Amino acid sequence: TQLLEQSPQFLSIQEGENLTVYCNSSSVFSSLQWYRQEPGEGPVLLVTVVTGGEVKKLKRLTFQFGDARKDSSLHITAAQTGDTGLYLCAGTTDSWGKLQFGAGTQVVVTP
Amino acid sequence: NAGVTQTPKFQVLKTGQSMTLQCAQDMNHNSMYWYRQDPGMGLRLIYYSASEGTTDKGEVPNGYNVSRLNKREFSLRLESAAPSQTSVYFCASSLDRGGEKLFFGSGTQLSVL
C-alpha cells in the first residue's frame, strides 16, 4: 500500500491544454516535494512545500499544499511537449524523516 | 559538474550471481541513498547513509548490503541476485540528514534472469 497516492496514473493531453495531477495521503507531512523524471534519467526536484495552504509557482507550474498537509496538487498551464515526463510526489513525516514517494503520474504532451 | 554518478548503466545477471553498484557524488553532501524503482510502485528506499561511517535500513533492505566507503562514495551489493531484484536502481544524495532536496543519479537498469 502506497503511503502517497497519485492520480491519475496516466494523462495524455495536447500542447496548450491545462492539466492537474494530485497527490493524496491519510498521513500528515512535514514537507512535500514534487519531482519530474524523464526516460533514462533520475528524478529532478521541482519544488518543496512545507506550510499548509502554501502555493508556489514555477513559470507555468503551480504547486499547492493542502491546508491539513495531507495532499498536494500540481497544475500545469498551457502544457508544452517539454513537460512530458513522470511526475512524482514525495513527503516526509515526523515519525520517519526519510522521503516516501508516490508511484507517479505519467504525463504525455503531444504537439 | 557531474553531481551523482552511477555505474554501470545496464547489467544482466543470472540468478545467484553477485554484483556491486557504484555511486559517487561530488557535491560534498553528507547523506546518500539507494532506491529501487518498479512500475506502479514508485521509488522505495533500500538503504541510506546519514553521514560518513553510518548506514541504516530503508523500506526494502532484504537481499542487499551497502558500504559507505568515504564521504563521496556509497555502494550497493547484491550477494546472490534473484529475479525479484530486477529493477532500476537509483543512487541519491542530499546535504542534510532529513532526506530533503535529493539529487539523483541516472540509474542502473538491472535484469536478473
Side-chain angles (χ1 to χ4, degrees):
Chain A
T1 303
Q2 293 284 138
L3 182 64
L4 285 161
E5 298 289 340
Q6 291 191 242
S7 61
Q9 291 183 334
F10 181 82
L11 192 55
S12 180
I13 61 170
Q14 290 191 316
E15 211 168 17
E17 293 182 335
N18 301 332
L19 69 99
T20 303
V21 298
Y22 300 93
C23 176
N24 295 288
S25 177
S26 58
S27 298
V28 175
F29 290 94
S30 53
S31 68
L32 196 137
Q33 301 179 349
W34 285 93
Y35 290 80
R36 180 168 65 212
Q37 183 179 16
E38 298 185 10
E41 299 295 329
V44 175
L45 179 67
L46 295 174
V47 76
T48 301
V49 286
V50 296
T51 305
E54 183 176 4
V55 177
K56 280 193 174 179
K57 292 190 176 183
L58 185 66
K59 296 183 180 178
R60 293 175 295 100
L61 279 61
T62 301
F63 304 86
Q64 185 163 6
F65 200 13
D67 291 340
R69 292 185 289 134
K70 293 183 177 181
D71 57 88
S72 182
S73 63
L74 158 60
H75 182 78
I76 301 179
T77 302
Q80 300 176 356
T81 55
D83 296 323
T84 292
L86 179 67
Y87 288 82
L88 296 159
C89 66
T92 55
T93 62
D94 290 338
S95 60
W96 196 60
K98 302 298 168 283
L99 273 177
Q100 298 197 59
F101 283 82
T105 294
Q106 180 66 53
V107 172
V108 176
V109 182
T110 56
Chain B
N1 189 2
V4 179
T5 303
Q6 288 183 237
T7 56
K9 184 75 172 176
F10 300 96
Q11 184 71 50
V12 178
L13 295 176
K14 294 182 180 178
T15 297
Q17 287 185 319
S18 62
M19 78 159 296
T20 300
L21 282 64
Q22 306 288 351
C23 175
Q25 52 90 9
D26 62 1
M27 296 174 284
N28 201 35
H29 284 172
N30 293 308
S31 300
M32 298 185 73
Y33 311 82
W34 277 105
Y35 285 89
R36 60 178 289 174
Q37 186 175 35
D38 302 289
M41 299 292 291
L43 286 152
R44 291 182 292 169
L45 183 63
I46 304 171
Y47 269 94
Y48 65 98
S49 172
S51 60
E52 186 179 356
T54 68
T55 60
D56 285 290
K57 295 178 180 179
E59 301 170 69
V60 288
N62 291 345
Y64 305 96
N65 285 301
V66 291
S67 295
R68 183 74 182 264
L69 305 171
N70 48 55
K71 190 171 185 178
R72 291 186 64 249
E73 298 173 287
F74 188 39
S75 63
L76 178 71
R77 183 161 178 84
L78 286 70
E79 290 291 352
S80 179
S84 61
Q85 294 178 305
T86 293
S87 187
V88 181
Y89 291 85
F90 288 97
C91 177
S93 69
S94 66
L95 180 61
D96 55 35
R97 297 185 179 192
E100 298 185 1
K101 298 183 182 178
L102 293 183
F103 292 81
F104 284 86
S106 58
T108 296
Q109 174 72 62
L110 175 66
S111 296
V112 183
L113 307 177

